[in-house]
Amino acid sequence: MSFLLNDEQRQLGDSATEFLNAQSPISLQRRLRDERATLGFEPALWQQVVELGWPAAVFPEAYDGLGVGYPGLGAVFEAMGRTLAALPLLSSVVLCGELLLAAGSEAQRQRWLPGLVDGQQRLALGLDEQGRHHPERIKTRARRNAQGNGWVLDGEKWFVIDGIGASWLIVVAKVLDAQGADEGIGLFMVEAAQTGVTLQPTLLADSRNHARLTLTNVEVADDQRLSAALDTAQALDGALDRARICLAAEGLGLMREAFERTNAYLKERVQFDVPIGSFQALQHRMARLYTELEMLQSCVRAALSAIDTQDAELALLASLAKARASDLCEKLMNEAVQLHGGIGVTDEFDLGLMVKRARVLQHSLGDGVFHRDRYARLKGF
């Protein structure tokens, strides 16, 4: 397995780095936070990203995609992590786009995928229903309507990523038969503006766009259920694993930026007439963090490559990468704050914003505890 990017993927990553440094510096995220921007991102910036073709990167050419592959998209997420760029790329493209590809019919793909590629609409996934990520614990119910030609959805979803402003939602629900027996999970396309759908903003530490979704007797037509996949749960797992790997890539970029800033500070900060970076104890701490960053990069690159090669161990590699990223989000960022001393805990210092985003990344779509347990179960331990 090669972890190296091809020319097209490398160019995509380089152009993303250059673009985000110029158009989406950390100061933009600070402004969005201070203004309490409802969407959590800048719509004009998102439109520029669409024109650059990022949403089309991993979609097949049959749906107006570019087919660049996930290593290239992973490089984009690394660049986003470095500048804390807030973009609805994960929610629309990776989560919902992959679900449409895996579980949607050809008619459903033709209906929704072009809108994701050209940025005319945004989708969001309604999945979790409690404080921690547990995709198998679903209480939202889908039952047949009285006419037998559609579905009625009732339930609540927490922490819907980029839910505010999304035009459509993919809702994960437990399907019940006429007698109320559980038939497994189903995926339903729900229009955000329709009767019975309520989206309320949820404020997290990183000030991004998260929402609580409430469904009350929401009517859904038969052709709005994604049921082309033989195993809906497997299709959901596949989309979640791709998103987890992209989050790990974003975390890698964020932590590399924090590490490099900390390393530069240790060379500049003088104590006892010498740079504090000359102290052996601090050098040891930085060396350990550097080693762990390199290990995380290997895990992330392996997982991204596994998506394109359809590796049978994709789920294992996804949990390995996300567990390492989640654990290091806590360890490295705590070390960065301590090594900066007093300024490390001030709000006006960029590191504070980076810590907040790292904390949310740590728990999004499963923290280290979740993924170590999942890894062990997949290995049969």
Side-chain angles (χ1 to χ4, degrees):
M1 178 185 295
S2 174
F3 296 167
L4 299 178
L5 303 180
N6 61 36
D7 290 342
E8 191 176 18
Q9 293 164 345
R10 190 180 303 109
Q11 288 172 7
L12 179 60
D14 290 344
S15 66
T17 299
E18 182 179 354
F19 173 79
L20 293 174
N21 283 334
Q23 302 296 328
S24 183
I26 294 180
S27 58
L28 173 60
Q29 312 317 314
R30 184 182 298 279
R31 177 174 66 79
L32 291 171
R33 182 203 65 172
D34 293 344
E35 293 176 354
R36 295 185 177 273
T38 303
L39 294 179
F41 64 90
E42 186 66 61
L45 178 68
W46 174 240
Q47 190 55 47
Q48 286 180 280
V49 165
V50 169
E51 292 170 3
L52 288 172
W54 296 359
V58 294
F59 287 132
E61 294 181 6
Y63 304 105
D64 300 327
L66 300 177
V68 175
Y70 267 91
L73 188 64
V76 170
F77 273 95
E78 283 189 48
M80 289 168 56
R82 281 186 172 269
T83 67
L84 302 184
L87 297 167
L89 197 60
L90 185 87
S91 54
S92 270
V93 174
V94 183
L95 284 170
C96 295
E98 287 291 349
L99 276 175
L100 282 165
L101 284 174
S105 65
E106 183 59 27
Q108 290 167 333
R109 294 173 188 170
Q110 293 292 348
R111 179 178 178 184
W112 281 291
L113 284 180
L116 296 185
V117 172
D118 64 18
Q120 294 303 305
Q121 61 183 5
R122 290 194 297 106
L123 271 62
L125 175 65
L127 173 63
D128 286 314
E129 300 182 3
Q130 53 185 327
R132 289 185 177 272
H133 179 63
H134 285 290
E136 73 283 359
R137 298 180 184 177
I138 302 298
K139 294 182 180 178
T140 298
R141 298 290 189 262
R143 52 185 170 79
R144 275 294 187 183
N145 61 13
Q147 295 75 32
N149 60 358
W151 301 88
V152 179
L153 273 59
D154 288 279
E156 187 176 64
K157 300 292 183 179
W158 295 13
F159 310 124
V160 179
I161 301 172
D162 296 318
I164 303 300
S167 50
W168 287 83
L169 303 150
I170 299 182
V171 175
V172 183
K174 190 162 288 187
V175 178
L176 305 180
D177 65 13
Q179 287 71 43
D182 182 2
E183 293 187 332
I185 68 166
L187 304 170
F188 298 88
M189 300 296 303
V190 176
E191 191 171 9
Q194 76 181 80
T195 304
V197 177
T198 304
L199 284 162
Q200 295 179 312
T202 299
L203 185 62
L204 298 186
D206 63 353
S207 303
R208 300 290 181 95
N209 180 341
H210 294 85
R212 178 172 290 193
L213 167 66
T214 304
L215 304 159
T216 307
N217 293 323
V218 175
E219 294 276 351
V220 177
D222 265 340
D223 63 0
Q224 290 173 226
R225 180 182 179 183
L226 307 183
S227 55
L230 296 177
D231 189 334
T232 303
Q234 186 178 33
L236 177 61
D237 272 345
L240 289 174
D241 280 336
R242 285 159 173 75
R244 289 158 178 157
I245 296 167
C246 289
L247 286 177
E250 182 185 348
L252 173 62
L254 186 158
M255 288 184 282
R256 278 213 181 278
E257 183 70 21
F259 177 88
E260 290 170 8
R261 290 183 180 218
T262 303
N263 194 42
Y265 177 78
L266 294 180
K267 295 176 181 179
E268 298 168 358
R269 177 74 168 92
V270 173
Q271 189 71 26
F272 306 114
D273 298 324
V274 295
I276 61 175
S278 65
F279 301 155
Q280 192 175 56
L282 301 189
Q283 291 176 356
H284 288 173
R285 290 166 71 175
M286 292 296 287
R288 283 193 293 269
L289 293 176
Y290 178 80
T291 301
E292 293 198 42
L293 271 175
E294 291 299 299
M295 292 176 65
L296 174 59
Q297 177 172 295
S298 295
C299 292
V300 170
R301 292 283 176 85
L304 288 166
S305 296
I307 298 174
D308 284 2
T309 59
Q310 299 181 354
D311 195 307
E313 293 194 334
L314 173 61
L316 284 168
L317 292 169
S319 279
L320 175 62
K322 187 57 171 66
R324 280 197 170 276
S326 292
D327 292 346
L328 198 54
C329 272
E330 181 172 359
K331 180 179 180 180
L332 187 145
M333 299 310 295
N334 285 351
E335 288 276 51
V337 169
Q338 291 180 17
L339 291 168
H340 274 88
I343 63 171
V345 295
T346 58
D347 182 68
E348 59 268 22
F349 195 56
D350 284 346
L351 187 62
L353 292 177
M354 299 173 80
V355 170
K356 292 180 175 69
R357 178 57 181 163
R359 288 294 185 266
V360 175
L361 282 174
Q362 178 183 347
H363 294 282
S364 293
L365 302 185
D367 60 7
V369 174
F370 174 90
H371 284 289
R372 281 190 294 275
D373 178 69
R374 181 175 185 250
Y375 188 94
R377 284 188 284 105
L378 288 171
K379 293 290 284 186
F381 296 156

